[in-house]
Amino acid sequence: MNAEELYKILEKSQGKKGYRFNPDRELTLSLLEGLLENKDRYGYMCCPCRLASGDRERDRDIICPCVYRDPDLAEYDQCYCALYVSPRWDPETMSKIFVPERRPPEKLLG
């Protein structure tokens, strides 16, 4: 599977739930490629913007879509890595937003 194929699959499934990808297709495909690389590396698609431990149970919170996506979208209109954005997301004003890390510090140590 490549990033384009994953895009089509996730766009369909996540779109039904009301989520959408960042309209910057190049960024989105790059992030999806990172998900696929992590799947090859760890056996699961963990967030490409975070360090995974390689322990699926420990990383459960960052398997995409991560558990932080919904609160990030509610507060910042985009998730931590900006793969998913809200309908209110505007690239002119929001592409520079810094979404703080919600993952607990003890999980950041890998």
Side-chain angles (χ1 to χ4, degrees):
M1 178 180 303
N2 64 36
E4 280 288 346
E5 292 167 326
L6 182 59
Y7 182 97
K8 289 175 186 171
I9 292 167
L10 293 179
E11 181 181 43
K12 202 177 292 184
S13 67
Q14 295 302 302
K16 289 178 184 176
K17 297 176 184 178
Y19 295 103
R20 69 181 193 133
F21 285 132
N22 190 315
D24 180 338
R25 192 160 177 97
E26 186 177 327
L27 172 68
T28 297
L29 291 175
S30 174
L31 291 167
L32 293 175
E33 187 62 41
L35 286 174
L36 291 170
E37 288 174 14
N38 283 340
K39 184 175 183 181
D40 287 344
R41 184 178 296 139
Y42 303 115
Y44 49 93
M45 289 193 293
C46 53
C47 179
C49 300
R50 293 181 164 106
L51 289 175
S53 69
D55 177 338
R56 186 182 185 98
E57 189 57 39
R58 181 182 175 100
D59 294 338
R60 184 171 300 283
D61 62 325
I62 60 170
I63 294 175
C64 190
C66 74
V67 300
Y68 311 108
R69 177 185 65 181
D70 290 351
D72 285 351
L73 285 171
E75 190 170 347
Y76 299 101
D77 291 315
Q78 68 184 42
C79 68
Y80 181 72
C81 63
L83 176 61
Y84 290 101
V85 297
S86 79
R88 296 179 305 276
W89 193 86
D90 173 14
E92 295 298 317
T93 58
M94 297 182 168
S95 63
K96 307 287 188 258
I97 291 175
F98 173 75
V99 177
E101 176 63 87
R102 292 180 189 269
R103 197 167 195 219
E106 63 272 10
K107 289 201 170 197
L108 296 176
L109 301 176

